[in-house]
Amino acid sequence: MTEHTLTVAGVAVDTRHWIGGRRVASAETFTDVSPIDGSVIGEISRGTALEAAAAVAAAKAAFPAWAATSRAERARILHAVADGVEKRIEELSIVETTDNGALLRSHRRGVMPRVAHNFRFFADWLLKLEHEDFETRGHTNHVSWDPAGPSVLITPWNAPLMLATWKVAPALAAGNTVVLKPAEWSPLTASLLADIAAEAGLPAGVLNVVQGYGSEVGDALTSHPDLRRISFTGSVPTARRIAESAAGNLTPLSLELGGKSPLLVFADADLDLAVDLAVEQYDNAGQVCLAATRFLVEESVAEEFTRRFVEKAATLTQGDPRHETTDIGPNIHPRQLEKIDAFVQRALAAGARAVIGGHRKDTQYYAPTLLTDVAQDSEIVQEEVFGPVLTLQTFSTEEEAVRLANDTRFGLAATLATADAERAERVTAQLVAGTVWVNCFFVRDLQAPFGGSRHSGVGREGGTWSFDFYCDVKNTVTAPNGWKNHG
């Protein structure tokens, strides 16, 4: 071990940046704290404009060779990265849980296998990426996807490695080089990813990892003139700053932002299913952008729905996320907990009623909360809390349900519970959302477009949509009979 290596639950993690195929330390550090118990994990290299410039320079230098690498070879390396992830699922899982507080069982069974799948999917999609040629007045049109160039990917803390590789995998598959900037509250698995990628044979400079604060290293990255793409997942205020930073260079952006998604429960729905869907919204301590945090329930079944929900929620176990029986872990940081509680206390002061919860349990954990008697224009209904806080409102008609569902500035997702197929078709057609789930939740396929409407984001990723963003899509038009015979 060296002064730049942490041991996290028995796993060695390098605390330095990864730039140009080597480890680079900063003069300053920042403190990484575990949300499980508030203990200090260690000191992490704190990037500045200097490291940002070095990372972009490394990505720019590596780009021509990586862009010229055949699709088959790029795909082979991405599959090798997936192999490396699968060999280290247990290590990645325990480090991620220690760093961001999400359930260890979820990391082992779902999240880390999905990380490997991200690489395999985009490697395979690359090999079949094509558009059928078509003719215009006898001329042949041929569509191709050219690598765009160095890309900066800025990722959140709620699902650090899974959401990072959701961006890294298609960007690398497209032939771009990458600078990954993980969230400062959960930087550790990005460092491990750099090790895995290097072991898999990814050339130096193709993937770079720079840690630190957005105001110090993030701004220097997003304003860099040599960038060709920026992808960000996070909050609306941060997205605005990134967009302003990128505007001077007209750098294309993909923004996956927050949500205030509704769960619409109609009287004809299977109430047991609806309650199961509702309780699922406490997943990851409510720190899920797609969560249906606003319950809109038809008046005639609202009382019964609420009774069953309270009974079901009471069976959840909140505590140490490393324990197999835990259902809800901690929130990421004391500052986030304070923000959550401030939302709730303001709502209660304004007349809301806490059916369950409504308070913090200690400095790391917030009690699962359901608030009723909330006005549609209230802060708690309109703004993203990003914690285990849900609201319940009622409606009397289908039209009212749709109006309430659409009446926020967001449009990331919506969930609908009904036994009427025709109603489902009518309502989903009217909902403003990038993804709508009918009688299910969080069923995701990488082939599908993903993104939000309104303030929930700009652009779509997944399948070919990802390549459309990370590439310069070119159309080549060839005239007929234009070739000289040199035979």
Side-chain angles (χ1 to χ4, degrees):
M1 298 297 173
T2 70
E3 62 174 313
H4 299 296
T5 303
L6 298 176
T7 301
V8 183
V11 181
V13 184
D14 200 301
T15 62
R16 295 170 292 181
H17 314 287
W18 178 255
I19 299 174
R22 64 186 184 90
R23 291 291 177 178
V24 176
S26 293
E28 302 292 332
T29 63
F30 65 92
T31 304
D32 188 25
V33 175
S34 175
I36 298 174
D37 55 11
S39 62
V40 172
I41 299 173
E43 296 297 314
I44 312 298
S45 279
R46 179 173 171 174
T48 65
L50 181 67
E51 288 83 12
V56 174
K60 182 179 180 182
F63 173 67
W66 182 244
T69 300
S70 71
R71 286 188 177 192
E73 178 62 7
R74 294 204 302 263
R76 185 195 67 77
I77 293 175
L78 293 185
H79 274 290
V81 174
D83 292 340
V85 169
E86 289 175 344
K87 290 175 183 175
R88 301 186 69 177
I89 280 179
E90 182 62 25
E91 294 180 10
L92 292 166
S93 296
I94 189 61
V95 170
E96 193 90 296
T97 291
T98 303
D99 206 18
N100 91 322
L103 300 184
L104 179 58
R105 72 170 194 243
S106 296
H107 282 141
R108 285 169 170 160
R109 299 173 190 172
V111 176
M112 294 308 163
R114 166 64 184 270
V115 168
H117 177 63
N118 284 345
F119 284 102
R120 295 201 192 282
F121 174 87
F122 286 106
D124 292 342
W125 200 267
L126 170 65
L127 296 180
K128 63 182 181 182
L129 182 66
E130 63 179 351
H131 189 292
E132 185 176 351
D133 289 353
F134 57 97
E135 289 194 1
T136 304
R137 298 190 301 276
H139 296 63
T140 300
N141 293 263
H142 176 74
V143 177
S144 58
W145 286 262
D146 294 350
S151 304
V152 162
L153 314 178
I154 303 175
T155 54
W157 45 258
N158 58 324
L161 192 58
M162 193 274 284
L163 291 178
T165 56
W166 161 249
K167 301 176 185 296
V168 169
L172 296 181
N176 291 0
T177 50
V178 164
V179 179
L180 171 62
K181 192 276 178 192
E184 60 268 24
W185 284 351
S186 56
L188 299 183
T189 50
S191 180
L192 293 177
L193 177 64
D195 294 335
I196 292 169
E199 292 166 6
L202 193 70
V206 173
L207 172 65
N208 306 274
V209 178
V210 179
Q211 302 147 163
Y213 296 114
S215 59
E216 296 175 352
V217 70
D219 290 347
L221 287 171
T222 56
S223 62
H224 201 290
D226 289 336
L227 283 187
R228 294 297 174 261
R229 294 294 186 271
I230 300 170
S231 181
F232 168 73
T233 296
S235 70
V236 172
T238 302
R240 288 196 180 102
R241 291 197 297 272
I242 290 172
E244 291 172 358
S245 181
N249 300 309
L250 293 179
T251 308
L253 293 168
S254 174
L255 304 174
E256 196 273 279
L257 309 177
K260 196 68 178 177
S261 302
L263 166 61
L264 293 82
V265 179
F266 288 90
D268 60 14
D270 177 336
L271 277 192
D272 287 334
L273 170 65
V275 167
D276 286 345
L277 295 174
V279 172
E280 194 175 346
Q281 308 313 312
Y282 287 132
D283 182 47
N284 202 20
Q287 299 167 144
V288 178
C289 60
L290 292 164
T293 56
R294 296 185 294 131
F295 299 164
L296 305 176
V297 185
E298 195 162 352
E299 287 177 352
S300 61
V301 296
E303 184 176 345
E304 179 64 14
F305 172 88
T306 303
R307 183 187 68 79
R308 296 192 197 185
F309 175 86
V310 170
E311 289 181 356
K312 183 81 173 180
T315 68
L316 298 175
T317 299
Q318 186 171 26
D320 193 319
R322 296 166 295 192
H323 296 165
E324 184 71 16
T325 56
T326 298
D327 300 302
I328 304 177
N331 289 100
I332 183 73
H333 194 278
R335 289 216 311 265
Q336 183 66 15
L337 200 78
E338 291 171 7
K339 176 184 173 184
I340 293 165
D341 192 50
F343 268 113
V344 172
Q345 299 313 313
R346 288 193 296 269
L348 293 173
R353 179 173 66 90
V355 178
I356 60 172
H359 57 87
R360 66 177 76 193
K361 299 184 74 172
D362 55 30
T363 57
Q364 306 297 136
Y365 295 80
Y366 203 86
T369 296
L370 176 65
L371 302 177
T372 60
D373 300 334
V374 292
Q376 178 63 24
D377 62 354
S378 64
E379 177 192 54
I380 199 68
V381 169
Q382 293 293 325
E383 297 299 325
E384 185 178 45
V385 177
F386 223 59
V389 178
L390 311 171
T391 61
L392 189 150
Q393 300 164 270
T394 62
F395 63 86
S396 57
T397 67
E398 188 176 295
E399 292 73 21
E400 184 183 12
V402 171
R403 178 180 62 78
L404 292 173
N406 287 339
D407 187 20
T408 75
R409 62 193 174 108
F410 297 102
L412 188 55
T415 303
L416 174 65
T418 180
D420 187 332
E422 292 182 358
R423 167 179 282 144
E425 185 175 355
R426 285 194 307 271
V427 172
T428 56
Q430 299 175 74
L431 293 175
V432 179
T435 300
V436 180
W437 286 288
V438 180
N439 295 325
C440 61
F441 177 67
F442 218 63
V443 179
R444 292 278 304 277
D445 192 309
L446 290 179
Q447 298 180 75
F450 180 76
S453 304
R454 296 175 175 168
H455 284 198
S456 286
V458 175
R460 294 292 184 270
E461 295 186 54
T464 301
W465 289 275
S466 286
F467 288 94
D468 287 345
F469 173 70
Y470 288 111
C471 292
D472 291 323
V473 183
K474 177 189 294 178
N475 186 43
T476 301
V477 184
T478 304
N481 304 321
W483 312 114
K484 292 183 178 179
N485 186 347
H486 296 286

